Amino acid sequence: MADSDSLSFRRHPHPYSVDLVRWLPSSISSDRLLAAAVHDPAVPYSNHLHLLSLPDPSSPLASLQLPSRATALRCSPSVLAAATSSGSLHLLPSFFDADSAISVPSGAGFHVGPVRGLDCGGGAGGEEWVTAGEDGRVHVVAGGGDGRVAVRRVWDGKGMAGYEAARWASPAEFATGGTACGVQWWDRRKGDAVVAQCKGIWGHGTVTGIVHSIDIHPSRKHICVVGGSSGTIFAWDLRWPQQPIPLSGVGLDGTAQPVCESEVWEVLFDNYTQSSDIISSTSTRILPVMMCSEDGILAVVEQDERPLELLVEPCAINSFDIDPQNPSDVVCALEWESIGVLTRGRDSMAE
């Protein structure tokens, strides 16, 4: 894996608590732009999406007020989407025209309570968003191109299981995960049904933990990586659905070294880090994965290798994003009112 000494890190103070952060497409501006979901703990109903610019992301270029705190944030090439703790969904152009924002309100026809699973995929009629909430509901939301959206309910678990993560694999398939349900693989060609399920692999004899994040590799759509409670990270290969592959976890009896002992909030396949082995497209070996945690760790984990710590912060790292155009650059949301930008491939560390 990459040398942890060749890093440059800059912490940018922000006037609000930063919950989520994402890179925006470089095609919309010559500047490096970020979207951040922020809130002010001292001011009720002070929840916003901010458009930020590097090298100084402390002052927003534009802002959109949300009805409640953002719980999920995703960006497609043309749309920025945010879901909230009250159950609403908000779509606006990625160039941040707030006047063009479209909202799906919370309630009986959508979600009631936090929506933590959110992702964009391409359907036959254009972009489609999958939402998965703590209320046990799963929806597919399609934009009509005329300022309206079409919402279709895929599943209603009626609170028996709560969802915390969702990820598209193809226009017909997506994965979800959460509490008391492990990871589920859905196929729209088979009546919007769950066609495979994995309880995962958890330490200390736990039958199932909480799934917080899922990522699916773009060139290996049969493999997803999962981050969850108790420092757990595992991969799930649909070719062997009953054999999850441990990458990190507490109490796994040496099958994987724990990178942390707290909640793993986000996981992403890391295209920048070179694997210790040459991996072909047909290999069963899992590609390197980046993660962030409640106890302030940003690290890269790889199958059968020691974790590589990139950052160890005194506060939670709530989320991070790898720049798809420049995968050496990573932005992260630090709980103590700051945004961190990490660049790999340099010889010095800057604060």
Side-chain angles (χ1 to χ4, degrees), residues 36-253:
V38 304
H39 76 282
D40 187 344
V43 180
Y45 309 110
S46 180
N47 309 287
H48 294 85
L49 286 182
H50 282 173
L51 175 66
L52 307 173
S53 176
L54 291 178
D56 181 19
S58 59
S59 300
L61 303 176
S63 181
L64 175 71
Q65 186 168 3
L66 299 174
S68 55
R69 190 169 170 179
T71 48
L73 184 65
R74 292 290 181 194
C75 188
S76 76
S78 59
V79 175
L80 177 67
T84 70
S85 60
S86 58
S88 60
L89 175 67
H90 305 269
L91 307 172
L92 70 158
S94 55
F95 55 84
F96 231 86
D97 180 7
D99 293 334
S100 300
I102 303 170
S103 297
V104 180
S106 60
F110 195 48
H111 288 282
V112 179
V115 178
R116 302 191 186 278
L118 175 66
D119 196 28
C120 179
E127 289 185 342
E128 292 184 311
W129 298 85
V130 59
T131 65
E134 290 187 7
D135 56 3
R137 296 175 181 175
V138 179
H139 294 91
V140 171
V141 180
D146 55 359
R148 294 181 296 177
V149 293
V151 178
R152 185 171 61 85
R153 181 163 298 171
V154 176
W155 176 253
D156 187 353
K158 301 185 185 302
M160 297 299 292
Y163 293 106
E164 300 238 343
R167 202 70 158 176
W168 284 103
S170 72
E173 300 166 290
F174 61 88
T176 59
T179 305
C181 59
V183 187
Q184 297 173 329
W185 193 271
W186 303 73
D187 193 330
R188 304 172 70 187
R189 298 164 297 190
K190 299 181 179 179
D192 290 329
V194 174
V195 295
Q197 187 162 355
C198 176
K199 290 184 177 180
I201 182 166
W202 309 89
H204 299 307
T206 303
V207 175
T208 182
I210 302 173
V211 172
H212 294 305
S213 178
I214 299 172
D215 194 24
I216 299 174
H217 197 276
S219 63
R220 294 170 146 200
K221 296 187 181 295
H222 57 280
I223 297 177
C224 63
V225 64
V226 178
S229 52
S230 301
T232 299
I233 304 171
F234 64 88
W236 184 35
D237 190 329
L238 285 176
R239 297 172 296 182
W240 299 280
Q242 303 307 316
Q243 300 176 26
I245 303 166
L247 302 179
S248 171
V250 179
L252 293 178
D253 299 325

